[in-house]
Amino acid sequence: MKEVKKGALVLEIISGTLFLFAGLFLIMGFSIPIIIDLRLFISILLIVSGALIIVLSLYGIHIGSTIVLVISLCAFLIALLSPSIYMHTKYYETTYSLSINDINTSINELIILVKSSTGSVNIDFTDNESLIYRVKLYGWFFPIFGLVEPSVKYEVSNNTLYLIIDSKTLSTNILLSKRYNLELDIESSTGAVKMSGSEIKTNKLDITVSTGSIDISIENSEVNTLMAKSSTGEVKVQLINIKPSIEVGMIAITSSTGSIDLKLSNLEGIDLKASTSTGEIDVRASKDYDVFTGPKTAIVRAEPVRYIITLETSTGSISIGIE
């Protein structure tokens, strides 16, 4: 037992020494270059750390001392090799713009696909009729593990401009002209999505987020289809004086564990159904609307129906405000 405690003491002394030298190396700027690929280096570091924990555990060394040793070893190597590691990271900031003068044909519709891993996505609109789009990508980018750089690509066909934005881990600011009909599809893993616009024309707006939040604010616009889906993030939608260019439009908002907050103002008529498994539903509507509430459900209706609205969440709450 004493030998085990002595072994743990030795490991803790080694760990403290490694932390000490790691700090000194950072202060003095001392480093050595990485002579192997960064991905291979990280893989070897993980393998050696796991093997070290297993071997020392077999010899009866306390797991806490072993983990401290592994952490200190990693800190030591990162400090020693930090300039080489920094060379594999960079702050990325660039802007892509397209105007009417940049293309040789007229367009009347934008179909846009946005893919994001961890960065946020913000969409705004401008009255500038000569501008088609402006996309700004910014943030820290880590081109390891085979990760390719972000990209913005477009093509024009049959008076429609197709735009694909793959921002990877970067944040994205998108500025669009109001003059074109719009179809917008956004897929985000953990980044938040925010969109605000007025006097715009959207045939379809489809936003899917895994863990980030969704915030949509549209007023004085044509909106045919709006779909917002989030697994765990909050979904907030505010729609003021909107109408569909088709007979009946559709709005569908779903969230698994996040809450839903819907505010409607000056809509001609709706058929709204809300449901939740374990959350609460709060409905505030003017006297122009018929409201029916039941266990974990709510129905709000007013004629003539211009929008069919569906709100669904599993454990989150639903807040509905209509005026």
Side-chain angles (χ1 to χ4, degrees):
M1 191 66 162
K2 291 182 178 180
E3 291 181 357
V4 172
K5 290 183 178 180
K6 186 182 293 184
L9 179 61
V10 171
L11 293 183
E12 291 168 359
I13 293 174
I14 295 174
S15 301
T17 304
L18 290 173
F19 277 123
L20 177 64
F21 276 100
L24 291 174
F25 285 162
L26 285 176
I27 292 175
M28 295 184 299
F30 178 78
S31 66
I32 60 174
I34 295 179
I35 59 176
I36 61 174
D37 179 72
L38 180 59
R39 178 174 56 181
L40 180 59
F41 168 75
I42 294 176
S43 301
I44 293 175
L45 184 62
L46 293 174
I47 293 172
V48 171
S49 300
L52 189 61
I53 292 176
I54 293 173
V55 171
L56 293 178
S57 298
L58 291 175
Y59 277 90
I61 304 299
H62 192 270
I63 188 64
S65 301
T66 304
I67 292 177
V68 171
L69 175 63
V70 169
I71 295 174
S72 63
L73 178 61
C74 293
F76 174 77
L77 291 175
I78 290 173
L80 185 62
L81 304 171
S82 58
S84 298
I85 293 176
Y86 295 154
M87 290 177 60
H88 289 78
T89 65
K90 63 179 180 180
Y91 185 79
Y92 191 105
E93 182 173 329
T94 187
T95 300
Y96 302 83
S97 295
L98 188 72
S99 66
I100 290 295
N101 297 329
D102 297 323
I103 58 177
N104 298 321
T105 183
S106 62
I107 61 172
N108 51 39
E109 184 177 23
L110 302 179
I111 297 180
I112 302 175
L113 171 61
V114 183
K115 296 181 180 180
S116 175
S117 297
T118 58
S120 62
V121 178
N122 296 287
I123 304 101
D124 288 298
F125 295 84
T126 177
D127 292 315
N128 185 351
E129 294 192 354
S130 64
L131 179 71
I132 299 175
Y133 68 77
R134 180 181 297 128
V135 178
K136 179 181 179 181
L137 303 177
Y138 62 96
W140 287 97
F141 181 68
F142 305 89
I144 61 174
F145 300 108
L147 186 64
V148 298
E149 292 199 0
S151 64
V152 176
K153 301 178 181 179
Y154 81 90
E155 67 177 45
V156 179
S157 177
N158 297 325
N159 302 113
T160 299
L161 186 140
Y162 300 85
L163 176 64
I164 300 177
I165 303 169
D166 192 351
S167 62
K168 305 300 181 185
T169 59
L170 302 180
S171 294
T172 308
N173 288 344
I174 304 172
L175 183 65
L176 302 173
S177 174
K178 295 180 179 181
R179 66 179 297 183
Y180 304 108
N181 293 321
L182 176 66
E183 286 192 16
L184 182 60
D185 190 345
I186 301 175
E187 302 171 2
S188 177
S189 296
T190 59
V193 175
K194 184 176 182 180
M195 173 180 172
S196 60
S198 63
E199 300 178 348
I200 61 176
K201 296 173 287 185
T202 61
N203 293 327
K204 185 182 75 169
L205 174 61
D206 190 350
I207 300 176
T208 302
V209 176
S210 296
T211 58
S213 62
I214 299 174
D215 190 343
I216 301 172
S217 179
I218 302 175
E219 60 179 312
N220 303 323
S221 301
E222 291 183 0
V223 179
N224 290 342
T225 301
L226 189 157
M227 294 179 288
K229 301 177 287 291
S230 177
S231 296
T232 59
E234 179 186 19
V235 181
K236 296 177 64 177
V237 177
Q238 178 175 270
L239 305 172
I240 301 174
N241 192 30
I242 67 167
K243 61 182 179 180
S245 61
I246 56 179
E247 185 175 353
V248 178
M250 188 268 286
I251 298 172
I253 304 173
T254 60
S255 179
S256 296
T257 59
S259 61
I260 295 175
D261 186 356
L262 175 65
K263 290 183 173 63
L264 305 175
S265 179
N266 197 25
L267 269 66
E268 187 172 352
I270 63 171
D271 183 359
L272 183 151
K273 297 179 181 178
S275 63
T276 179
S277 297
T278 59
E280 299 294 329
I281 299 178
D282 177 40
V283 180
R284 302 175 307 281
S286 67
K287 61 181 181 180
D288 297 325
Y289 296 86
D290 297 322
V291 179
F292 308 92
T293 59
K296 308 301 179 184
T297 61
I299 296 175
V300 183
R301 188 175 175 87
E303 298 286 353
V305 174
R306 297 304 309 276
Y307 281 104
I308 296 176
I309 303 175
T310 304
L311 311 177
E312 295 180 351
T313 181
S314 296
T315 59
S317 61
I318 298 177
S319 175
I320 304 169
I322 307 174
E323 58 184 23

